[in-house]
Amino acid sequence: YYVLHYGPELCGQWIAPSDYAEFTRALICGTRLTASAERELFIDTGMIHILVVSGAHLHFLERCFLFLPKGLRWSLLAGYCWFTGFGAPVVRSFVRHLVDAIFARRGHSALQK
């Protein structure tokens, strides 16, 4: 259990100290924001989803690493899932990418996937 959830802790240690370090950790590492007025503003305005590590993060990283061989790219994406604590949105996106890759080789359409 500790090894599976050590990723966000390690990721958070690499964030440079600043006034916005907590928000940076939330955006990059998927850590939770502590109760604060700023957090409440994000919740009240409906913008909290900006700080949720989602499938969009994974898709962005995949596009950044298109020049790498597919196996290395998948390893980096799996590593990012670990760094963000295997949150449901990022794992769903990772599994969907895997399923897409498997079914695309078999000639299935996007609708069938």
Side-chain angles (χ1 to χ4, degrees), residues 56-83:
H57 289 73
L58 205 68
H59 183 72
F60 175 76
L61 284 175
E62 183 180 23
R63 293 292 178 185
C64 287
F65 296 126
L66 279 178
F67 64 93
L68 295 173
K70 193 178 283 189
L72 181 57
R73 193 167 60 230
W74 283 105
S75 297
L76 288 171
L77 294 177
Y80 184 72
C81 289
W82 177 71
F83 270 123

Side-chain angles (χ1 to χ4, degrees), residues 82-102:
W82 177 71
F83 270 123
T84 59
F86 293 106
V90 76
V91 169
R92 184 204 59 79
S93 180
F94 184 71
V95 169
R96 184 175 184 280
H97 282 356
L98 285 175
V99 168
D100 280 350
I102 292 168

Side-chain angles (χ1 to χ4, degrees), residues 5-39:
H5 297 284
Y6 182 67
E9 185 179 322
L10 181 63
C11 179
Q13 292 173 2
W14 293 345
I15 303 297
S18 75
D19 293 340
Y20 304 105
E22 182 180 9
F23 294 104
T24 305
R25 277 191 295 278
L27 183 63
I28 296 173
C29 306
T31 60
R32 291 192 177 275
L33 292 174
T34 57
S36 65
E38 292 84 3
R39 179 178 182 258

Side-chain angles (χ1 to χ4, degrees), residues 14 35 42 51-52 60 103 112-113:
W14 293 345
F42 275 99
L51 295 178
V52 174
F60 175 76
F103 284 108
Q112 290 170 316
K113 294 175 199 176

